[in-house]
């Protein structure tokens, strides 16, 4: 019998900065669904990846003095590290810089052009000359200036290719209003009124103003602009129009694309239009969630942003509370469609009430009693009693409810359903009072039944929870005398699976209670430090805008300039000069056997900041001795607005000794 297939995708993230808790939400949500579906017996393909082209990446790489490829490689490594840390079970990771994707996108672009859906036109927008960037009206800052440098922009045009949207308007409207493609459906009206009713605008799909993108094969001064490149990943990752994979027929169309509301329009309108133009089947569902915002001290919700310093770091939270507690918290708080403010208080309360007191306590109390009264192994004698049937009824109804929530991408509700069962089981302990039964040996048959029913409840609950908290549940299984073979989806629909004489194993406290006051103090200190640093950076940026450069010196001839030998060199070693607060001593590979240079930059650079970096040196300065150390040349640095000197870093790929002319 062939297994049914299930294909689920996250957005492919921009590697323009490190991932944060917002990226984790979508990825953890998709991971939990993928795990659940695998447990149900589906052949799952779970795809995630990174969207690596574009002007922003090109600019960031230039600022760092590395190539765009080097830049994305580094950030992608952090994304992958985070996904492995968060226990994300993706089956495939696509990078839009992968050769096979590039090949497919070029073919897709050409096909759309050949079919007449892509045509050449003129792109007009607001252009910032210093930043060399086009912006749309809505991207401009409050003063109508460039959102990056806040200088005035001007209307400008460049040649570009456009994708015709109008042929698809009717079909897309029907898709949004008459099918259950979009979740939640309530968002359809907003899309239809804002974008379809006023007449769908054609989409600009190429640029000539930057080069870090996929070249258009038949007009290579153009690169494919953002969405045709990015959205196609969902197909190219399966082998669509490439030979890297052969999974397209098997997995396409996708069962679920999950995204946040920021990119809903592209997935609800543009992606279906591209697929219609290509004559390919449409994905089955688009699940749209809200934003995780940051709740500040005054209780206000702020957008998480690096420049405000309020970005919640998943590594830091995972280290403090455990990855599963974080996974649980974000999934439990976020309803499909709505925004959710991230608050440390709510997170800690949630972990304490649901995980430490609710589920953790259920496991530890049950295992401890089995240990205390029966030395860990239950006797096989039983006596049914009050409350047993009601407990079983509740537990046997959970799986179906969770199935439905998963099928409708409502993970918060799925967890709520599971925790109804946790509460029911805890209530069963209060109702049956096993500690009273334990005082009277004649009631041990009943006690054994109560504990067995509790272990069975934990088995069902932990099986269902294992899709959401995959690290901790196997530990629970170990404690209740079960294992992965017993804790299957199929068995989660049955009561009475554990052997009658099951043996429990007391283990560690799974979810330790968190000391709210202590933790809040520490977390607030971390965020305040981050915010202060971000503010200082913002101030420095502002100072840069009002910076007056030193007056220009008198003119010299080219021959005068030629007397100064500027060369590229690489810092191999660096240390502070003893007895000096200002000086660093650097060992350089200058392409001519190496040299030592002393530089007055110790106030602003630590030795480790410089090692491995390329610098520019004045190579033909006569040697001098500074604080007893010989210096053969000078490192080039520039005046910064705060009065410091900043080293001028050339392109890291330049060879040592390369002459600057
Ligand atoms: N590269 C595009 C997507 C192309 S998909 C074909 C992009 N990248 S992104 O890095 O900006 O990622 C946006 C997605 O990251 C959101 O749609 C959402 O899934 C996730 N999130 C990033 N920050 C988030 C929050 N603060 N809250 C919730 N989700 C967030 O757009």
């Amino acid at each position: 019998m062939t297994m049914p297939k299930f294909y689920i995708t996250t957005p492919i993230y921009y590697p323009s900065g490190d991932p944060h808790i917002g990226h984790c939400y979508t990825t953890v949500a998709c991971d939990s669904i993928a795990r659940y579906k695998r447990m149900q017996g589906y052949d799952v393909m779970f795809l995630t990846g990174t969207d690596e082209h574009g002007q922003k990446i090109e600019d960031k790489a230039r600022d760092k003095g590395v190539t765009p490829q080097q830049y994305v490689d580094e950030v992608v490594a952090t994304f992958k590290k985070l996904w492995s840390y968060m226990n994300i079970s993706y089956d495939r990771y696509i990078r839009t810089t992968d050769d096979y994707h590039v090949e497919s996108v070029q073919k897709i672009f050409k096909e759309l052009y050949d079919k007449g859906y892509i045509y050449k036109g003129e792109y007009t927008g607001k252009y910032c000359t210093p930043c060399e960037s086009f912006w749309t009206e809505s991207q401009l800052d409050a003063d109508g200036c460039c959102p990056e440098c806040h200088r005035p922009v001007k209307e400008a045009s460049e040649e570009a290719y456009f994708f015709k949207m109008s042929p698809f308007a009717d079909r897309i409207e029907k898709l949004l209003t008459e099918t259950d493609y979009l979740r939640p459906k309530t968002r359809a009206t907003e899309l239809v009124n804002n974008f379809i009713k006023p007449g769908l605008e054609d989409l600009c799909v190429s640029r000539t103003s930057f080069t870090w993108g996929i070249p258009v094969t038949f007009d290579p001064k153009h690169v494919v602009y953002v969405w045709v490149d990015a959205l196609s990943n969902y197909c190219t990752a399966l082998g669509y129009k490439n030979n890297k994979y052969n999974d397209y027929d098997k997995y396409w169309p996708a069962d679920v694309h999950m995204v946040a509301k920021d990119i809903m329009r592209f997935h609800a309108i543009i992606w279906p239009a591209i697929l219609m133009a290509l004559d390919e089947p449409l994905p089955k569902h688009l699940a749209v969630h809200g934003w995780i915002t940051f709740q500040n001290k005054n209780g206000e919700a702020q957008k998480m942003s690096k420049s405000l310093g309020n970005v919640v770091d998943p590594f830091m939270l995972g280290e403090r509370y455990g990855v599963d507690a974080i996974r649980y918290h974000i999934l439990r708080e976020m309803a499909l469609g709505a925004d959710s403010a991230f608050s440390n208080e709510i997170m800690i309360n949630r972990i304490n009430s649901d995980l430490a007191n609710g589920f953790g306590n259920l496991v530890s109390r049950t295992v401890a009693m089995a240990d205390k009264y029966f030395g860990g192994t239950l006797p096989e004698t039983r006596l049914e009693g009050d409350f047993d049937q009601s407990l079983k009824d509740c537990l046997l109804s959970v799986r179906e409810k969770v199935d439905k929530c998963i099928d409708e991408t409502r993970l918060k509700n799925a967890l709520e359903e599971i925790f109804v069962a946790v509460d029911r089981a805890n209530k069963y302990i209060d109702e049956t009072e096993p500690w009273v039964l334990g005082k009277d040996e004649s009631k041990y048959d009943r006690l054994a039944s109560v504990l067995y029913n509790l272990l069975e409840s934990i088995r069902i609950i932990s099986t269902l929870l294992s899709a959401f908290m995959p690290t901790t549940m196997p530990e629970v299984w170990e404690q209740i005398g079960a294992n992965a073979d017993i804790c299957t989806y199929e068995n989660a629909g049955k009561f009475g699976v554990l052997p009658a004489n099951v043996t429990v194993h007391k283990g560690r406290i799974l979810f330790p209670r968190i000391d709210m006051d202590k933790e809040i103090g520490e977390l607030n200190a971390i965020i305040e430090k981050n915010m202060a640093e971000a503010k200082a950076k913002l101030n420095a940026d502002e100072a840069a805008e009002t910076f007056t450069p030193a007056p220009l010196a008198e003119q010299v001839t080219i021959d005068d300039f030629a007397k100064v030998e500027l060369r590229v060199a690489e810092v191999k070693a660096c240390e502070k000069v003893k007895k000096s607060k200002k000086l660093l001593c650097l060992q350089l590979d200058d392409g001519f056997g190496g040299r030592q240079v002393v530089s007055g930059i110790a106030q602003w650079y630590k030795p480790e900041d410089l090692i491995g970096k390329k610098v520019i040196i004045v190579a033909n300065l006569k040697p001098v001795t500074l604080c007893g150390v010989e210096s053969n040349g000078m490192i080039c640095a520039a005046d910064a607005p705060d009065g410091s000197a900043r080293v001028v870093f050339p392109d890291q790929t330049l060879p040592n000794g390369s002459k600057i002319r």
Side-chain angles (χ1 to χ4, degrees):
M1 201 182 78
T2 53
M3 283 159 113
K5 70 90 189 172
F6 185 81
Y7 180 31
I8 183 165
T9 67
T10 72
I12 45 169
Y13 303 107
Y14 289 130
S16 53
D18 287 342
H20 57 64
I21 200 82
H23 303 100
C24 282
Y25 174 73
T26 324
T27 315
V28 167
C30 290
D31 181 61
S32 301
I33 297 175
R35 285 175 182 273
Y36 198 88
K37 285 283 165 189
R38 282 190 204 110
M39 198 158 78
Q40 285 183 313
Y42 282 79
D43 173 351
V44 172
M45 170 62 76
F46 168 24
L47 175 73
T48 190
T50 26
D51 183 2
E52 307 184 8
H53 293 123
Q55 172 109 48
K56 196 158 180 187
I57 300 288
E58 195 173 275
D59 293 348
K60 290 239 167 188
R62 191 181 314 112
D63 291 350
K64 274 195 97 176
V66 295
T67 63
Q69 191 64 53
Q70 285 168 329
Y71 176 81
V72 290
D73 285 352
E74 199 175 303
V75 185
V76 168
T78 311
F79 268 91
K80 287 191 170 173
K81 193 169 133 208
L82 178 61
W83 299 151
S84 125
Y85 182 69
M86 298 295 293
N87 221 334
I88 303 299
S89 63
Y90 60 79
D91 297 293
R92 202 160 282 172
Y93 191 102
I94 185 165
R95 302 183 56 177
T96 54
T97 49
D98 287 337
D99 289 345
Y100 72 91
H101 173 78
V102 170
E103 178 194 334
S104 296
V105 168
Q106 289 181 324
K107 289 183 188 159
I108 290 171
F109 199 94
K110 178 79 169 46
E111 183 177 326
L112 294 174
Y113 180 74
D114 290 342
K115 285 181 163 170
Y117 291 122
I118 282 182
Y119 63 93
K120 198 187 253 186
E122 184 115 303
Y123 176 79
T124 305
K126 304 288 177 191
Y127 190 70
C128 173
T129 314
C131 293
E132 293 179 25
S133 297
F134 272 101
W135 302 106
T136 60
E137 239 6 288
S138 63
Q139 286 173 320
L140 300 178
D141 70 9
D143 301 325
C145 292
C146 169
E148 297 264 306
C149 72
H150 304 288
R151 277 177 280 212
V153 290
K154 61 175 192 209
E155 190 103 337
S157 303
E158 70 174 36
E159 177 188 291
Y161 286 92
F162 286 83
F163 176 66
K164 271 189 207 159
M165 292 293 297
S166 48
F168 312 105
D170 290 346
R171 272 179 77 191
I172 292 171
E173 184 168 346
K174 285 206 178 81
L175 177 74
L176 300 180
T177 55
E178 292 174 17
T179 73
D180 64 349
Y181 174 63
L182 186 64
R183 290 178 178 163
K185 185 91 175 276
T186 44
R187 288 198 181 272
T189 326
E190 162 194 342
L191 283 165
V192 171
N193 288 345
N194 293 349
F195 301 104
I196 300 182
K197 287 262 151 66
L200 273 180
E201 277 182 33
D202 290 351
L203 179 75
C204 177
V205 289
S206 85
R207 283 295 159 87
T208 53
S209 51
F210 60 87
T211 54
W212 182 242
I214 300 180
V216 173
T217 42
F218 52 91
D219 195 353
K221 70 174 187 292
H222 287 261
V223 292
V224 178
Y225 180 57
V226 193
W227 290 101
V228 172
D229 175 2
L231 289 161
S232 305
N233 92 87
Y234 300 130
C235 290
T236 64
L238 299 177
Y240 181 67
K241 294 192 192 290
N242 67 64
N243 292 324
K244 168 87 176 171
Y245 299 109
N246 196 15
D247 296 320
Y248 188 71
D249 292 341
K250 181 169 175 194
Y251 291 107
W252 192 258
D255 293 86
V256 176
H257 289 314
M258 191 181 285
V259 302
K261 60 185 185 184
D262 53 338
I263 53 173
M264 169 176 70
R265 175 165 72 97
F266 301 100
H267 287 77
I269 297 179
I270 289 164
W271 183 221
I274 295 174
L275 289 167
M276 287 172 193
L278 292 167
D279 278 323
E280 295 297 335
L282 303 184
K284 293 187 194 149
H285 297 292
L286 173 65
V288 181
H289 60 80
W291 284 94
I292 298 189
T293 53
F294 175 78
Q295 184 165 314
N296 70 12
K297 275 200 296 193
N298 307 327
E300 297 149 351
Q302 292 176 328
K303 190 169 174 212
M304 264 186 236
S305 104
K306 212 170 171 184
S307 59
L308 291 175
N310 62 4
V311 169
V312 177
D313 174 8
F315 285 111
M316 182 270 284
L317 291 182
E319 287 308 295
R320 297 179 89 92
Y321 313 118
V323 163
D324 275 355
I326 305 308
R327 286 177 60 118
Y328 176 77
H329 168 65
I330 53 181
L331 296 177
R332 178 66 184 72
E333 281 311 313
M334 179 78 107
L336 193 67
D339 282 354
S340 162
F342 187 91
S343 132
N344 294 322
E345 278 89 346
I346 296 176
M347 173 183 67
I348 294 173
N349 268 330
R350 184 57 78 195
I351 296 175
N352 280 346
S353 69
D354 293 9
L355 299 182
N357 292 352
F359 180 65
N361 217 6
L362 172 66
V363 176
S364 62
R365 283 204 289 174
T366 306
V367 172
M369 288 191 286
D371 217 41
K372 180 172 169 192
Y373 299 121
F374 298 115
T377 302
L378 295 191
E380 293 189 27
T381 45
R382 292 284 182 272
L383 182 63
E384 298 301 307
D386 290 344
F387 314 109
D388 292 3
Q389 197 53 47
S390 131
L391 176 77
K392 285 180 199 170
D393 289 346
C394 172
L395 264 298
L396 284 174
S397 69
V398 197
R399 192 183 74 170
E400 202 182 314
K401 291 180 184 153
V402 177
D403 288 355
K404 187 162 186 313
C405 294
I406 293 281
D407 285 342
E408 292 169 2
T409 358
R410 292 183 292 110
L411 300 185
K412 173 182 159 67
N413 301 132
L415 289 171
E416 280 166 356
E417 294 293 354
I418 300 175
F419 274 76
V420 167
V422 172
D423 290 346
R424 181 68 197 85
N426 271 323
K427 189 165 157 228
Y428 179 76
I429 299 185
D430 296 340
E431 290 164 341
T432 52
E433 300 182 315
W435 55 91
V436 175
L437 302 173
K439 285 193 188 126
D440 181 350
E441 283 213 18
S442 70
K443 296 191 172 140
Y444 269 29
D445 290 355
R446 176 67 189 136
L447 178 60
S449 288
V450 166
L451 292 179
Y452 182 80
N453 290 339
L454 286 168
L455 289 172
E456 276 292 283
S457 304
I458 296 170
R459 176 186 58 76
I460 294 173
I461 292 167
S462 58
T463 303
L464 299 175
L465 276 181
S466 67
F468 305 89
M469 294 191 275
T471 319
T472 320
M473 293 312 126
E475 283 190 61
V476 173
W477 300 341
E478 163 78 22
Q479 294 198 18
I480 62 166
N483 55 43
D485 293 335
I486 295 177
C487 294
T488 59
Y489 173 81
E490 200 196 333
N491 283 342
K494 298 181 193 153
F495 211 91
V497 172
L498 286 170
N501 62 347
V502 57
T503 301
V504 303
H505 307 278
K506 246 177 125 171
R508 69 168 185 113
I509 301 279
L510 300 165
F511 300 102
R513 236 193 114 71
I514 302 170
D515 177 340
M516 170 75 94
D517 291 343
K518 175 173 161 284
E519 286 297 316
I520 290 293
E522 289 181 24
L523 291 176
N524 285 347
I526 294 173
I527 204 85
E528 268 159 33
K529 181 168 162 273
N530 290 347
M531 287 173 125
E533 278 172 13
K535 189 138 198 265
K537 184 172 178 303
L538 221 61
N539 289 345
D541 290 350
E542 270 169 24
E545 274 175 41
T546 52
F547 172 67
T548 324
L552 283 175
E554 257 179 54
Q555 289 183 337
V556 295
T557 64
I558 189 86
D559 298 335
D560 290 335
F561 174 69
K563 286 185 194 153
V564 182
E565 272 269 302
L566 296 178
R567 299 276 182 156
V568 173
E570 184 178 342
V571 182
K572 289 294 186 190
C574 179
E575 59 180 12
K576 289 192 149 186
V577 172
K578 288 190 191 88
K579 291 185 267 170
S580 166
K581 282 201 181 106
K582 293 191 178 162
L583 299 179
L584 288 182
C585 177
L586 301 99
Q587 305 302 328
L588 304 177
D589 178 348
D590 59 358
F592 293 91
R595 65 168 71 202
Q596 170 172 302
V597 169
V598 175
S599 176
I601 52 173
Q603 289 159 275
W604 307 298
Y605 291 91
K606 293 194 222 82
E608 60 270 26
D609 297 336
L610 297 169
I611 294 169
K613 290 266 165 62
K614 303 267 178 173
V615 293
I616 300 172
I617 58 168
V618 182
N620 59 342
L621 271 185
K622 292 210 168 105
V624 287
T625 302
L626 300 165
C627 279
V629 184
E630 187 178 294
S631 179
N632 298 287
M634 204 178 95
I635 309 273
C636 289
D639 293 339
D642 62 0
S644 67
R646 309 302 304 171
V647 174
V648 179
F649 294 112
D651 188 325
Q652 276 292 115
T653 58
L654 287 168
N656 298 334
S658 164
K659 186 172 157 74
I660 294 166
R661 304 178 273 135

